[in-house]
Amino acid sequence: MTNNKKVLQFVKDCEAFAQPDKVVWIDGSDAQRDALREEACATGEIIKLNQEKLPGCYYHRTAENDVARVEDRTFICCENEADALPHSIVKWKAPKEAYAMVNEIAKGAYKGRTMYVIPYSMGVVGSPFSKIGIEITDSIYVVLNMMIMTRVGTMCLDQLGENGDFVKGFHAKCNVDPEKRYIMHFPEDNTIISVNSAYGGNVLLGKKCFALRIATNLGKKEGWMAEHMLILGVKRPQDKEIKYVAAAFPSACGKTNLAMLIPPKQYLDAGYEVQCVGDDIAWIRVGEDGRLWAANPENGFFGVAPGTNTKSNPNALAATMKGTIFTNVALNPEDNTVWWEKLTKEAPAHLIDWTGKEWTPDCGRNAAHPNSRFTAPAENCPCISPEFNSKAGVPLSAIIFGGRRATTTPLVYQSRDWNHGTFVGTIMSSETTAAATGAVGVLRHDPMAMKPFMGYSVDQYFQHWIDMGAKVEEGKQPKIFNVNWFRQDENGNFMWPGFGDNMRVLDWILDRCEGKVEAQETAIGYLPYAKDINIENCDIDAATLDKLLYVDKERWANEAKEIENYYAENFGDKMPKEIIANLEILKNNCK
Ligand code: GTP
Ligand code: SPV
Ligand code: MN
């Protein structure tokens, strides 16, 4: 399929190392995909769902110990330890040691199995954003997922030509032994190695491993950014053009939901429309016009299933109605369809849960795993942007940060300028979710929602943000905001209705970008006047909105102290001076 010597050598090396019975190159054709689906159904690796209700849809269960990303078993393997991540949950390992471990664990791992070679592109093939990867795997499930999440096939090899470079990925399921599970990145070799897992973010190597951890390194070198961000377009009757926004929220904190938002009725009636460009990852470059342009390197959605329903996210639900793989949700034997918590108000009377056990509504267990997911083709999404396949990407008017904070952080605020906005990104904290293994609901620092995804030293990554701002033509930087949909009242209830109603906040954000609305200057940045957040026909009262927009200086003084300690403990004197200057301003403002 190719005469690229580097590709051929890589495939040969993997074959010699893993010793498969046979090697299959994935060409991206429907015929090959259909044959693989049949083969995986025959072995029980996937289950064919009701093809009338869910055409082209399949079901898969992972091992019970293999249901989320393993952040503490994820490594950046580069020569110099100082180049890798002080503070990140991701760890450093010397490449030599890492390769030796892989040798020990995975040599001969494909014996008796088939080795699949997946040529794929992150980004529209031929666009200046796009990068080619080759993933080697022994899992048909991985092949089928990659065929949805990325652009797979011969055109990627054509793009490489005889001499092109690519990101190498090697995945081996081995025995899905959690004690020998490692997700390793070698930025100096553009290589990813993943062993002993068969779950999403650990094994779909184009996603977090390539498009974030390796790509942050490429972006640092080449002058662009790889971010854990959704991208959406908003069409408003008052604007001449569609405005684009990118937003970074940690895992399971609302990116897919915001990216596919359906505005409340009065906005729809007025002609508002939200268009989804991406729901998880953004690659961002300075365009020829001096603005920042963003593209989504993925081709599908690997979305959280529980909570997705016709009310919360009808667009995502619609996207899963064909050609989708469901992982670790519940099976409804009645009609061979799927179910997960909150899909319908009432649960079906009888299900097979995500572990394969009988399930009834009163059994006291979840039917779907909290991190169960759908892998759906982006083209299925009713609100997919007409720019989705644009080679140029889309120009950004605003960048939004946000996390899960029960207290302190208001519904929305705007930073004073790019460097202050970068600071706002560095101080993000968010409560942990089921997207990674470990405790849920623990508040942790998660700068730019990138804590588990930075491929190099965190302080250098902050510096890169400062540098990128300076590369954008003066006055053309996107405005930077912070949002929090997750503030709670004394009883632990969310105070803001969220989902479609987030349009009301987006509207204020875009008005700020357009200079159409005043804001109040506070200790932390610009906040909306309550009157400027439209809560007509919204399930919230004015007093609650006031609370959501209140900046409690005492709390923020504590927050600033905590941030100062966090910086000192983790970055010492390596923190960029622009960030420290903004911390000083915050401290002073809170006195
Ligand atoms: P990853 O795919 O892990 O990166 O997650 P994500 O950031 O795309 O999160 P997603 O949109 O899938 O939402 C995760 C969870 O947050 C779901 O349970 C949603 O129901 C919930 N959620 C999303 N948006 C909102 C919101 O505006 N308010 C509230 N209260 N919950 C929300
Ligand atoms: C996330 O955890 O942020 C995800 C899912 O988007 S995974 O692909 O597992 O990383
Ligand atoms: Mn994500």
Side-chain angles (χ1 to χ4, degrees):
M1 273 173 47
T2 179
N3 47 21
N4 182 304
K5 291 205 181 67
K6 294 175 235 178
V7 174
L8 294 172
Q9 188 64 48
F10 174 55
V11 171
K12 216 167 126 193
D13 291 346
C14 289
E15 192 180 349
F17 174 72
Q19 300 161 31
D21 279 6
K22 63 173 184 181
V23 178
V24 171
W25 289 69
I26 302 300
D27 60 17
S29 67
D30 288 353
Q32 191 185 39
R33 184 197 57 198
D34 294 348
L36 287 170
R37 284 171 167 175
E38 289 308 319
E39 190 180 335
C41 284
T43 61
E45 187 176 355
I46 60 174
I47 293 172
K48 194 185 235 168
L49 292 167
N50 183 326
Q51 295 298 298
E52 258 151 51
K53 292 188 173 169
L54 298 167
C57 292
Y58 292 82
Y59 176 77
H60 175 76
R61 287 189 192 103
T62 65
E64 286 181 44
N65 71 35
D66 190 26
V67 295
R69 284 181 294 100
V70 281
E71 298 184 342
D72 56 336
R73 307 190 71 88
T74 299
F75 290 85
I76 303 295
C77 310
C78 54
E79 288 300 336
N80 186 355
E81 185 170 4
D83 289 339
L85 330 152
H87 121 127
S88 175
I89 196 152
V90 170
K91 299 186 185 98
W92 175 83
K93 205 178 269 302
K96 215 169 139 194
E97 190 194 335
Y99 284 124
M101 279 171 68
V102 173
N103 212 35
E104 181 99 341
I105 294 170
K107 192 160 191 202
Y110 289 1
K111 273 185 192 151
R113 311 180 59 89
T114 301
M115 164 170 142
Y116 299 95
V117 180
I118 315 170
Y120 65 98
S121 174
M122 298 312 289
V124 180
V125 178
S127 108
F129 285 94
S130 77
K131 301 265 178 201
I132 303 292
I134 309 278
E135 176 163 355
I136 307 287
T137 181
D138 56 345
S139 157
I140 297 181
Y141 171 76
V142 167
V143 174
L144 294 175
N145 273 274
M146 286 294 284
M147 290 183 86
I148 299 171
M149 292 308 296
T150 73
R151 293 159 173 95
V152 165
T154 36
M155 73 288 187
C156 303
L157 295 168
D158 296 344
Q159 174 72 20
L160 273 185
E162 274 188 40
N163 276 308
D165 285 314
F166 56 96
V167 172
K168 298 172 186 163
F170 175 81
H171 163 244
K173 276 193 291 199
C174 304
N175 311 314
V176 283
D177 177 351
E179 299 304 321
K180 291 185 180 163
R181 186 168 296 152
Y182 293 101
I183 321 299
M184 292 167 164
H185 308 72
F186 302 82
E188 286 145 358
D189 304 338
N190 281 340
T191 295
I192 305 156
I193 299 177
S194 165
V195 291
N196 275 299
S197 174
Y199 167 78
N202 296 330
V203 298
L204 308 179
L205 300 185
K207 198 171 177 58
K208 296 313 200 306
C209 300
F210 178 167
L212 290 177
R213 299 195 192 97
I214 295 291
T216 46
N217 279 279
L218 298 173
K220 171 87 171 159
K221 258 183 268 169
E222 299 168 3
W224 53 279
M225 306 163 88
E227 301 297 333
H228 192 201
M229 290 177 179
L230 68 94
I231 309 164
L232 60 79
V234 188
K235 193 167 163 183
R236 304 194 304 168
Q238 64 268 45
D239 297 333
K240 276 199 238 70
E241 340 164 290
I242 294 174
K243 304 283 175 208
Y244 295 94
V245 172
F249 308 159
S251 301
C253 288
K255 287 183 300 302
T256 302
N257 276 273
L258 188 66
M260 301 178 191
L261 175 154
I262 295 184
K265 185 167 181 307
Q266 83 244 34
Y267 286 88
L268 288 174
D269 291 346
Y272 279 63
E273 192 183 310
V274 167
Q275 303 175 344
C276 173
V277 182
D279 82 324
D280 199 51
I281 297 175
W283 284 0
I284 304 174
R285 292 171 174 270
V286 182
E288 278 168 19
D289 62 358
R291 291 189 290 176
L292 274 187
W293 289 68
N296 170 15
E298 301 190 284
N299 201 27
F301 309 117
F302 186 60
V304 179
T308 307
N309 58 50
T310 49
K311 276 237 173 75
S312 66
N313 195 346
N315 283 320
L317 198 60
T320 67
M321 288 296 135
K322 58 178 188 207
T324 293
I325 300 170
F326 297 93
T327 302
N328 292 341
V329 301
L331 204 51
N332 187 343
E334 178 91 10
D335 61 352
N336 198 26
T337 58
V338 288
W339 194 83
W340 50 77
E341 274 62 29
K342 295 198 190 153
L343 173 60
T344 51
K345 257 207 194 104
E346 250 171 70
H350 168 226
L351 296 168
I352 310 295
D353 75 9
W354 71 275
T355 67
K357 288 198 217 46
E358 299 287 322
W359 184 96
T360 50
D362 58 2
C363 75
R365 290 176 283 116
N366 281 333
H369 187 275
N371 191 40
S372 54
R373 301 243 168 193
F374 52 80
T375 317
E379 64 180 14
N380 284 0
C381 181
C383 69
I384 197 73
S385 164
E387 299 300 318
F388 178 74
N389 283 313
S390 149
K391 289 186 177 166
V394 295
L396 294 179
S397 297
I399 288 175
I400 306 176
F401 295 118
R404 261 177 209 269
R405 286 296 301 265
T407 67
T408 316
T409 312
L411 178 63
V412 58
Y413 68 102
Q414 182 188 357
S415 63
R416 292 179 294 270
D417 54 37
W418 179 272
N419 287 351
H420 179 227
T422 301
F423 167 77
V424 168
T426 72
I427 68 170
M428 272 173 71
S429 294
S430 191
E431 291 140 25
T432 51
T433 66
T437 54
V440 168
V442 181
L443 189 65
R444 73 172 188 188
H445 286 280
D446 191 351
M448 282 85 167
M450 283 288 282
K451 185 184 183 95
F453 308 122
M454 290 182 197
Y456 59 92
S457 169
V458 179
D459 47 283
Q460 290 178 42
Y461 167 88
F462 294 157
Q463 184 64 51
H464 187 52
W465 262 80
I466 303 282
D467 296 344
M468 285 299 298
K471 278 178 73 164
V472 178
E473 207 170 288
E474 197 49 45
K476 290 189 175 173
Q477 285 118 346
K479 305 276 184 282
I480 301 180
F481 299 80
N482 193 92
V483 300
N484 180 15
W485 313 142
F486 299 95
R487 274 283 282 271
Q488 293 177 17
D489 64 17
E490 313 71 55
N491 304 318
N493 298 313
F494 293 123
M495 294 162 73
W496 175 250
F499 301 99
D501 286 314
N502 294 332
M503 184 68 238
R504 301 165 191 277
V505 174
L506 277 181
D507 204 27
W508 181 80
I509 286 174
L510 292 176
D511 277 346
R512 286 297 293 168
C513 294
E514 296 287 286
K516 281 188 182 150
V517 62
E518 297 291 312
Q520 39 181 338
E521 233 181 304
T522 74
I524 62 172
Y526 300 113
L527 260 88
Y529 291 105
K531 68 171 173 51
D532 293 325
I533 300 288
N534 180 346
I535 53 167
E536 196 189 323
N537 301 321
C538 180
D539 188 16
I540 189 174
D541 55 47
T544 307
L545 182 62
D546 283 341
K547 279 188 201 154
L548 286 171
L549 297 177
Y550 177 65
V551 177
D552 183 334
K553 268 200 190 178
E554 214 168 295
R555 267 187 192 278
W556 275 97
N558 286 333
E559 186 90 0
K561 229 179 272 161
E562 204 277 324
I563 292 161
E564 190 166 32
N565 289 338
Y566 159 70
Y567 282 0
E569 264 168 38
N570 293 288
F571 313 113
D573 56 7
K574 286 190 187 151
M575 201 59 159
K577 60 181 189 312
E578 293 85 350
I579 307 277
I580 298 296
N582 274 291
L583 174 60
E584 291 307 315
I585 295 171
L586 176 64
K587 276 164 50 189
N588 275 326
N589 287 353
C590 292
K591 268 183 191 151

